[in-house]
Amino acid sequence: MSRHNDGIDLESSLGYLLKEASSALRAAMESALRPLGMTVTHYSCLELLAQRPGLSNSELARGAFVTRQSMNVLLQALERDGFVTRGADGAVGRAIPTQLTPLGRQRLATASAAVRSVELRMLGGMTDDQQADAFAALRSMIESLRAPDAGIAGR
């Protein structure tokens, strides 16, 4: 009996492999951050604020790949725990900028070291050239998918 399958072959699907790598990376990061009382989303929020102080709730949500509602709940917890400060309520429709506190910077430094160890483990089996090629390939894929004319036609 022949089997006809018009679906994607998961063994040769780059998209599936990328998703599997992403899931493995997230699990390893969660494991490294758990002893610090953090999640990947907590870490991402603090890292974004360190690199781009004053981001709004919406900007942080986009950067951390979560909804605005989820980010708002996280920011309230981070503010309560003393990791961030948020400006006073602005005018209607105005974004409220968020800043890291000294305690937030201290926690971020510890979390960054944990995340960096995961990344080093992930890249451990690759030469410097292979790492550079992987970065270039991933950046190219992202740019191609984000391009306004990202269709396949004309290729």
Side-chain angles (χ1 to χ4, degrees), residues 41-108:
T41 306
H42 284 93
Y43 165 73
S44 296
C45 180
L46 295 179
E47 190 68 68
L48 285 165
L49 286 171
Q51 293 183 26
R52 299 179 209 140
L55 289 179
S56 69
N57 179 54
S58 293
E59 292 165 328
L60 286 167
R62 276 191 298 279
F65 308 106
V66 297
T67 65
R68 287 182 310 194
Q69 294 84 356
S70 294
M71 182 55 66
N72 192 47
V73 170
L74 173 60
L75 286 173
Q76 288 173 6
L78 292 173
E79 186 174 27
R80 181 193 65 233
D81 294 340
F83 300 141
V84 302
T85 58
R86 301 198 298 172
D89 291 338
V92 174
R94 300 289 303 181
I96 301 172
T98 305
Q99 304 280 335
L100 283 180
T101 64
L103 178 60
R105 289 188 183 285
Q106 183 180 46
R107 289 295 303 264
L108 174 60

